[in-house]
Amino acid sequence: MTRIKSWQSTTALVIILNFGVVPLLANLTSPTPTVAQASRFRDVSPDYWAAPFINALVARNIISGFPDGTFKPNDPVTRAQFAAMVRKAFNQPETRTGGNFRDVSRNYWANPAIQEAYRKGFLSGYPNNLFRPTQNIPKEQVLTALANGLNYRATGSSNDLLNSYQDRGNIANFAVAPIAAATENNLVVNYPNLRQLNPKSVATRGEVAAIIYQALVNERQAERINSQYLVNQTPIAINYRIPAGVNIPIVSRQDRILVSRRGTMNVTMVIAANITTNDGTLLIPANTQVMGELRTTREGAQFVAQQLVFVNGETVPIQANSAVVRETEITNLDLTLEADLVVAAQS
């Protein structure tokens, strides 16, 4: 996958590809480096998206792994488990009394954590004095719990703060204001697509680790970990500009292209891998068609790209050339953009 830093007319950033860094404008902002840590668990590789957050919380004894040396980062988190994590992570004052739920016995393993999470305002119960401790907790409840328990209130418009989420309409009414506050305070982590909140989805252990860590950062109790999946308040551009000079890998639609030694021939190649921004926004999907001409010269042959054709039929003009190749058969090439390429984010 090729990743590209998002560009906006009001923001100076850099274009980051697998092939290097190309400056766009003079004023560049360098992100805080990611904390490099060896994986503590055999099912959490060092390049797993949530590994730095998981390792950091394990070091603080807020979460732990399993006896078999795994962490199970994609497993769901129950409401009882979340209460236990919150109890270890935050030391908030109590704001209410009560919290004795008829489905949580006094000797239940998480009873103290559930009582504390309730009295400190992180979690509430359900009608009929139920807590449902074994229910898997949805992501919108995780964000709501942290925003409420940490007493966050959005200073900006909820509509504006939630605009970047493509699925904002799926947020429950009770969660709109708290998630707006969580967004404003940089608690939200969206993997794999920054614009998809997935509020109804069951939160995984990896997701909860990342969100709790972000809350600790906002409380100034932890150092910031850089991640491309953190939602911040920089507006997401509708159109993205990929600057001239960037290389884009393409491959033949067939096994190979036989190069003629005279004239030109119409050729259709395809994009070799997804091209995305660093926040995960998809710009050009893999297998998008690249239409152009293969032009022969004395030195060999050169592919001149003319048009991108997306799967939905949308076309975008492109000015890009390959280097001159001397092979008689072509399977893959690198295109170099000769002019800026403006594309819309792909859903």
Side-chain angles (χ1 to χ4, degrees):
M1 178 183 292
T2 301
R3 297 192 182 277
I4 300 176
K5 271 281 192 181
S6 61
W7 179 94
Q8 292 178 277
S9 60
T10 58
T11 306
L13 296 174
V14 292
I15 299 299
I16 299 181
L17 297 173
N18 291 337
F19 312 100
V21 179
V22 180
L24 252 185
L25 296 174
N27 299 322
L28 304 180
T29 302
S30 299
T32 304
T34 300
V35 177
Q37 293 178 307
S39 176
R40 297 170 181 265
F41 306 101
R42 58 186 175 86
D43 60 346
V44 179
S45 62
D47 60 352
Y48 178 68
W49 75 271
F53 305 105
I54 292 169
N55 291 334
L57 290 193
V58 169
R60 290 168 174 258
N61 197 34
I62 294 172
I63 55 176
S64 60
F66 295 90
D68 63 355
T70 64
F71 182 79
K72 299 179 173 58
N74 297 317
D75 276 12
V77 175
T78 67
R79 283 169 51 83
Q81 291 168 342
F82 180 70
M85 294 177 190
V86 166
R87 187 189 192 196
K88 291 183 176 181
F90 306 103
N91 186 26
Q92 295 294 102
E94 293 188 2
T95 59
R96 58 188 174 185
T97 59
N100 296 312
F101 301 101
R102 62 188 182 90
D103 58 346
V104 180
S105 64
R106 289 186 177 182
N107 61 356
Y108 182 64
W109 72 271
N111 179 53
I114 291 170
Q115 301 297 330
E116 190 170 316
Y118 176 82
R119 291 195 296 267
K120 292 185 175 182
F122 285 100
L123 290 168
S124 296
Y126 290 90
N128 300 318
N129 198 30
L130 297 175
F131 184 79
R132 299 178 184 171
T134 60
Q135 176 181 288
N136 294 333
I137 189 166
K139 187 176 180 181
E140 66 182 1
Q141 283 191 24
V142 170
L143 293 169
T144 297
L146 292 176
N148 288 342
L150 297 172
N151 199 31
Y152 293 159
R153 300 291 182 269
T155 60
S157 161
S158 292
N159 284 337
D160 292 341
L161 288 164
L162 301 179
N163 259 345
S164 63
Y165 306 129
Q166 293 174 333
D167 53 355
R168 57 171 297 178
N170 295 335
I171 301 173
N173 289 336
F174 75 85
V176 168
I179 291 179
T183 300
E184 187 175 75
N185 286 277
N186 300 317
L187 267 60
V188 183
V189 183
N190 288 340
Y191 172 86
N193 185 342
L194 200 68
R195 301 185 69 188
Q196 289 288 331
L197 181 66
N198 296 317
K200 304 296 187 190
S201 66
V202 172
T204 66
R205 285 167 55 81
E207 284 178 318
V208 171
I211 294 170
I212 287 178
Y213 189 87
Q214 281 303 106
L216 290 171
V217 171
N218 197 58
E219 291 292 296
R220 295 181 170 83
Q221 296 178 30
E223 294 296 320
R224 181 176 180 269
I225 294 175
N226 188 48
S227 170
Q228 67 198 54
Y229 302 111
L230 301 181
V231 175
N232 59 44
Q233 288 311 294
T234 302
I236 296 177
I238 295 174
N239 291 316
Y240 293 75
R241 186 181 301 275
I242 306 174
V246 167
N247 289 337
I248 297 177
I250 58 174
V251 295
S252 169
R253 295 183 67 189
Q254 299 83 30
D255 291 337
R256 60 189 178 180
I257 296 174
L258 298 177
V259 178
S260 168
R261 284 302 174 188
R262 21 183 191 171
T264 62
M265 58 184 294
N266 294 328
V267 171
T268 299
M269 306 282 282
V270 295
I271 299 294
N274 285 343
I275 296 177
T276 72
T277 65
N278 270 2
D279 63 19
T281 301
L282 181 60
L283 300 182
I284 307 177
N287 297 316
T288 297
Q289 295 183 23
V290 185
M291 303 182 70
E293 294 179 343
L294 195 62
R295 300 175 181 175
T296 56
T297 67
R298 290 184 178 180
E299 293 79 20
Q302 182 182 45
F303 180 69
V304 179
Q306 298 168 333
Q307 191 175 64
L308 295 177
V309 182
F310 291 85
V311 67
N312 62 2
E314 177 189 359
T315 61
V316 175
I318 179 174
Q319 297 180 47
N321 300 324
S322 73
V324 174
V325 293
R326 294 177 172 82
E327 290 82 1
T328 57
E329 298 178 359
I330 296 175
T331 57
N332 59 82
L333 295 168
D334 275 351
L335 282 181
T336 300
L337 291 177
E338 300 296 320
D340 291 358
L341 174 64
V342 177
V343 293
Q346 302 293 304
S347 59

